[in-house]
């Protein structure tokens, strides 16, 4: 099968890292197509960035559908454009936050989220509410690091994240940790060892969920609100989206 993994920011280094993390857990027969939009924010750190990035996600999704991808992953912890992307696709479309929360709920009664900037905490909290997971999350902890700092993650930063995870374990009783950034895609194993808890990283979680859905013959429902978008003309720079 072929799974498209979209990094919604335009960092080529992060796209490469995310692609490697996805391929590392994929089945032998699964081809990973990692990509990012040509236009948009180099990192997504707030509502404005998310709104701009969502357009790029949808344009990449349209390409992935054309390329015959069996499933699609939105590899940004805000799950930007997720429902709109599901309108475009017949296969499954999975956001890494949604994937991370669901897998964490299967291995622990309570989990904590560790993400980057404090200003994005509310985005994760809104997703927890939307996905019905608020009661299971003990806290959304923010490292106050820019997303792009994760492109060159040294041992000091890894240890700072691990310390935050141990605090969530010891102070709140968190039984698992969800990593709240696509840029943390390569930190799952080292953090699990250092924190002593299951660590769920959204890219790898989404790849395994996507494979399972495809193998069960489950694609995005095309009934009701997730049916293909209504045919209409789009003007100006979105004219290519006309259908
Ligand atoms: C992400 N931003 O996963 C989010 C996470 C965050 O550029 N990729 C980004 O920290 O908001």
């Amino acid at each position: 099968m072929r799974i498209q993994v979209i990094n919604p920011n335009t960092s080529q280094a992060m796209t490469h890292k995310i692609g490697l993390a996805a391929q590392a857990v994929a089945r032998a027969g699964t081809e990973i197509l990692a990509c990012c939009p040509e236009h948009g924010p180099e990192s997504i750190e707030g509502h404005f960035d998310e709104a701009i990035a969502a357009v790029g996600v949808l344009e990449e999704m349209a390409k992935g559908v054309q390329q015959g991808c069996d499933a699609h992953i939105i590899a940004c912890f805000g799950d930007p454009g997720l429902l709109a992307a599901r309108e475009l696709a017949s296969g499954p479309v999975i956001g890494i936050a949604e994937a991370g929360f669901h897998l964490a709920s299967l291995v622990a009664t309570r989990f904590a989220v560790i993400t980057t900037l404090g200003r994005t905490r509310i985005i994760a909290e809104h997703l927890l509410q939307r996905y019905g997971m608020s009661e299971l999350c003990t806290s959304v902890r923010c490292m106050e690091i820019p997303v792009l700092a994760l492109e060159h993650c040294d041992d000091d930063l890894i240890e700072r994240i691990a310390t935050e995870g141990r605090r969530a374990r010891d102070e709140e009783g968190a039984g698992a940790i969800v990593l709240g950034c696509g840029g943390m895609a390569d930190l799952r194993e080292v953090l699990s060892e250092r924190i002593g808890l299951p660590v769920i990283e959204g890219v790898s979680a989404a790849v395994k969920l996507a494979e399972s859905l495809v193998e069960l013959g489950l694609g995005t429902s095309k009934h009701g609100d997730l049916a293909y978008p209504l045919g209409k003309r789009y003007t100006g720079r979105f004219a290519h989206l006309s259908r």
Side-chain angles (χ1 to χ4, degrees):
M1 74 179 75
R2 177 180 292 176
I3 301 178
Q4 181 187 31
V5 180
I6 303 168
N7 171 23
N9 72 42
T10 54
S11 160
Q12 292 294 340
M14 199 164 288
T15 303
H16 182 64
K17 177 198 291 194
I18 288 168
L20 290 178
Q23 196 65 64
V25 297
R27 287 183 175 72
T30 297
E31 179 190 4
I32 298 291
L33 291 184
C35 62
C36 67
E38 199 180 325
H39 310 287
E42 64 178 355
S43 63
I44 298 164
E45 299 172 314
H47 304 297
F48 181 83
D49 291 345
E50 294 239 348
I52 300 294
V55 176
V57 166
L58 296 174
E59 292 181 324
E60 290 305 312
M61 272 289 302
K63 292 178 199 168
V65 169
Q66 288 297 322
Q67 291 162 348
C69 291
D70 300 287
H72 314 266
I73 290 169
I74 299 176
C76 167
F77 204 70
D79 295 352
L82 181 60
L83 290 179
R86 285 180 175 159
E87 284 192 24
L88 289 180
S90 58
V93 183
I94 300 175
I96 65 171
E98 187 178 39
F101 297 159
H102 281 288
L103 288 202
S105 74
L106 299 177
V107 298
T109 51
R110 291 182 294 180
F111 60 83
V113 175
I114 299 178
T115 189
T116 55
L117 294 175
R119 69 175 291 163
T120 67
R121 173 184 283 113
I122 191 70
I123 295 174
E125 289 174 348
H126 283 169
L127 291 177
L128 285 159
Q129 285 167 9
R130 187 200 299 175
Y131 302 143
M133 295 277 179
S134 298
E135 297 306 310
L136 305 184
C137 183
T138 59
S139 64
V140 177
R141 293 170 169 260
C142 304
M143 300 304 302
E144 289 310 344
I145 52 170
V147 167
L148 294 185
L150 291 162
E151 283 183 352
H152 313 288
C153 197
D154 60 18
D155 192 72
D156 174 59
L157 179 51
I158 293 172
E159 188 52 29
R160 281 178 52 209
I161 298 170
T163 300
E164 207 57 44
R166 291 191 290 265
R167 284 197 188 121
R169 179 195 66 194
D170 299 340
E171 296 166 7
E172 302 164 359
I177 298 295
V178 175
L179 299 183
C181 182
M184 297 179 182
D186 56 346
L187 300 180
R188 175 169 57 93
E189 290 170 338
V190 62
L191 286 173
S192 188
E193 275 166 37
R194 293 196 189 187
I195 298 170
L197 289 178
V199 168
I200 297 89
E201 183 283 312
V203 172
S204 46
V207 168
K208 303 317 285 183
L209 286 172
E211 286 178 329
S212 299
L213 288 167
V214 170
E215 292 185 357
L216 288 169
L218 293 170
T220 296
S221 171
K222 304 318 295 175
H223 174 78
D225 67 312
L226 296 183
Y228 295 113
L230 296 174
K232 67 185 65 178
R233 191 165 63 92
Y234 291 77
T235 58
R237 64 177 161 184
F238 295 131
H240 63 290
L241 295 173
S242 297
R243 26 182 335 132

